[in-house]
Amino acid sequence: MSSSDEDEIPDLVPAADKVPITIITGFLGAGKTTLLNYVLSEQHGKRIAVIMNEFGDGDSIEKSMSVGSGGEQYEEWLELRNGCLCCSVKDNGVKAIENLMTKKGRFDYILLETTGLADPGPIASIFWIDEELCSDIFLDGIITMVDAKYCLKYLSEKKEDGSINECTRQIALADVIIINKTDLVPVEELNDLRNNIRSINTTAKVMETSHAKTNLDDILDLNAYGDLATNSLESTFKERGYNINDRHSIDKSVTTLTLELEGNVDKEILDKFLQTLLWEKSILNSDDKPIELYRLKGVLSLSHTDIRCVVQAVHELYDSHPTTPWKPEEKRINILVFIGRNLDRDVLLKHFKQCLMDKT
Ligand SMILES: Nc1nc2c(ncn2[C@@H]2O[C@H](COP(=O)(O)OP(=O)(O)OP(=O)(O)O)[C@@H](O)[C@H]2O)c(=O)[nH]1
Ligand SMILES: [Zn+2]
């Protein structure tokens, strides 16, 4: 990537003084607020600022913020300027974070609850493009909570315009998926739901809870977009295997596809490939439908360097950065994981192969 390109895309690698933020998304009533209250009441030694979304979408001009520290809590209201351009462009939650940052030093972690109907993609994307915001905070991960009782129903809902329903999108984007309200469903239903979720997103960590009681180590400090992502990505792939095509799914159209190639990748050709895929959206599958991507993750061996490169994309935004060195005896395996719709293995593999330096 040229240096001018690098100027345009803010770095996602967290610096020591940045505050991590975790986005909590999930369908209406799934248990997001219950999770936040649970986190606030737990002893975790962190001062966590929690931005709740109690009043639904859009027009609320205040957000409640609670900071929990060692079991103690205090709450305040963050005033959101109403009607200004940035509010209509940005999510209110992001505005709340900006206001929150004026109180920097009083907390060391932020949890943001999004509205149940929101597509978390645009909100997550803000942390990639808003340089001012990025200098203070970094996106640690996206948690999606699902309601064990109603999720299958939400997943199967068809949108009139043929687009993917919100529940599926939220699952596609997640780094962690919490299946909540397990107390309300029999074990067979839970198994069915788990399989469906897995068929959409193979790479996310899936947990099951009742009343959102979870181990905080599983949801905070994931660094899902940063340096550590390399190890967790690779071990995730190894643990879960690649072949998900045989699994049953309600909405077959959104799936995870993993490609693996040995060799060294030419970064310029790869950038072009990803731009065509993510920005121009002009790569078609064998049915002539455009391949739609919600999420991309990858570990790459680039030519001319012995340092691994991690690629991440949320919707149209993508970023790559060097991580850890390849060991001399290690096979240089490039992995790309696509989560989206109309994915076509042969087409994507053909493009991916063209990125290899030493094609045979
Ligand atoms: N039975 C049962 N009820 C739960 C569980 N978790 C949460 N609830 C209840 O479900 C309801 C909705 O929970 P919330 O935490 O408000 O859900 P939310 O996702 O924040 O809801 P919205 O903000 O409206 O989208 C509340 O009445 C909770 O007490 C659970 O594991 N089991
Ligand atoms: Zn809520």
Side-chain angles (χ1 to χ4, degrees):
M1 194 180 277
S2 74
S3 60
S4 65
D5 282 348
E6 269 164 7
D7 290 343
E8 282 159 26
I9 303 168
D11 211 349
L12 283 181
V13 182
D17 59 341
K18 288 189 182 186
V19 178
I21 175 164
T22 295
I23 295 177
I24 301 183
T25 161
F27 224 65
L28 295 169
K32 302 180 289 296
T33 305
T34 308
L35 174 69
L36 293 178
N37 283 327
Y38 174 72
V39 170
L40 282 173
S41 62
E42 276 294 279
Q43 297 285 342
H44 38 60
K46 282 189 205 307
R47 292 169 306 161
I48 302 181
V50 164
I51 301 174
M52 302 212 187
N53 173 67
E54 290 301 354
F55 303 115
D57 216 349
D59 46 10
S60 71
I61 53 159
E62 286 186 321
K63 293 265 170 187
S64 141
M65 181 199 82
S66 309
V67 177
S69 172
E72 274 177 46
Q73 282 181 41
Y74 59 91
E75 183 164 10
E76 32 186 300
W77 292 91
L78 293 170
E79 209 184 304
L80 302 175
R81 264 172 296 146
N82 207 8
C84 67
L85 182 65
C86 54
C87 287
S88 53
V89 175
K90 288 177 183 177
D91 179 80
N92 263 352
V94 174
K95 200 75 205 104
I97 294 165
E98 286 179 345
N99 292 351
L100 186 59
M101 292 322 291
T102 63
K103 303 174 202 297
K104 202 176 168 186
R106 287 164 62 186
F107 55 87
D108 35 41
Y109 208 103
I110 304 174
L111 290 178
L112 171 72
E113 174 184 356
T114 69
T115 84
L117 284 172
D119 176 351
I123 299 168
S125 304
I126 297 267
F127 301 104
W128 301 47
I129 50 177
D130 189 323
E131 297 213 34
E132 216 174 303
L133 205 55
C134 289
S135 61
D136 280 334
I137 58 183
F138 70 92
L139 179 60
D140 184 70
I142 301 174
I143 300 177
T144 296
M145 289 208 84
V146 304
D147 186 321
K149 195 162 170 59
Y150 293 110
C151 186
L152 281 173
K153 178 174 162 282
Y154 294 145
L155 279 176
S156 63
E157 266 165 20
K158 295 257 182 292
K159 306 259 286 186
E160 270 176 24
D161 62 359
S163 61
I164 295 299
N165 64 50
E166 280 78 9
C167 185
T168 308
R169 281 171 196 267
Q170 290 174 346
I171 288 172
L173 273 186
D175 299 298
V176 175
I177 297 162
I178 301 180
I179 305 178
N180 188 40
K181 307 198 185 180
T182 53
D183 53 303
L184 298 181
V185 292
V187 76
E188 306 78 50
E189 214 175 304
L190 198 59
N191 291 340
D192 198 17
L193 175 60
R194 195 187 306 112
N195 289 338
N196 274 286
I197 287 174
R198 273 261 157 269
S199 74
I200 295 170
N201 186 336
T202 332
T203 64
K205 177 154 66 172
V206 179
M207 295 186 306
E208 285 158 30
T209 59
S210 174
H211 297 280
K213 289 199 174 58
T214 163
N215 188 348
L216 295 184
D217 291 340
D218 286 332
I219 59 171
L220 303 182
D221 293 316
L222 301 176
N223 205 348
Y225 298 84
D227 277 351
L228 299 174
T230 341
N231 287 333
S232 61
L233 265 185
E234 282 175 351
S235 54
T236 303
F237 298 154
K238 276 179 197 135
E239 259 168 43
R240 298 193 182 132
Y242 300 131
N243 187 11
I244 53 137
N245 294 333
D246 53 354
R247 294 202 189 152
H248 158 74
S249 156
I250 285 187
D251 188 343
K252 279 233 183 298
S253 53
V254 177
T255 48
T256 306
L257 176 80
T258 306
L259 299 180
E260 214 193 78
L261 280 180
E262 196 177 340
N264 292 314
V265 162
D266 182 312
K267 187 66 177 21
E268 262 179 50
I269 304 177
L270 180 86
D271 281 341
K272 252 202 198 98
F273 163 42
L274 294 182
Q275 284 162 18
T276 317
L277 184 64
L278 299 164
W279 300 354
E280 291 160 29
K281 301 180 175 57
S282 58
I283 298 183
L284 305 179
N285 71 6
S286 51
D287 291 334
D288 280 342
K289 297 224 168 63
I291 291 176
E292 281 172 38
L293 223 61
Y294 300 134
R295 188 74 191 264
L296 169 100
K297 311 175 194 193
V299 180
L300 301 167
S301 166
L302 299 184
S303 50
H304 315 301
T305 172
D306 289 327
I307 312 285
R308 269 184 188 73
C309 172
V310 163
V311 210
Q312 291 268 6
V314 174
H315 284 231
E316 285 158 33
L317 293 158
Y318 83 96
D319 180 44
S320 57
H321 55 257
T323 59
T324 48
W326 292 96
K327 294 193 192 90
E329 70 280 7
E330 225 172 347
K331 260 195 190 164
R332 303 290 187 98
I333 306 278
N334 299 276
I335 303 172
L336 280 183
V337 182
F338 305 85
I339 303 179
R341 170 156 81 150
N342 301 329
L343 301 183
D344 187 317
R345 177 177 288 276
D346 292 342
V347 170
L348 288 169
L349 189 61
K350 189 186 91 199
H351 283 272
F352 192 17
K353 274 188 181 155
Q354 283 167 358
C355 302
L356 286 183
M357 284 295 279
D358 28 14
K359 296 180 270 289
T360 42

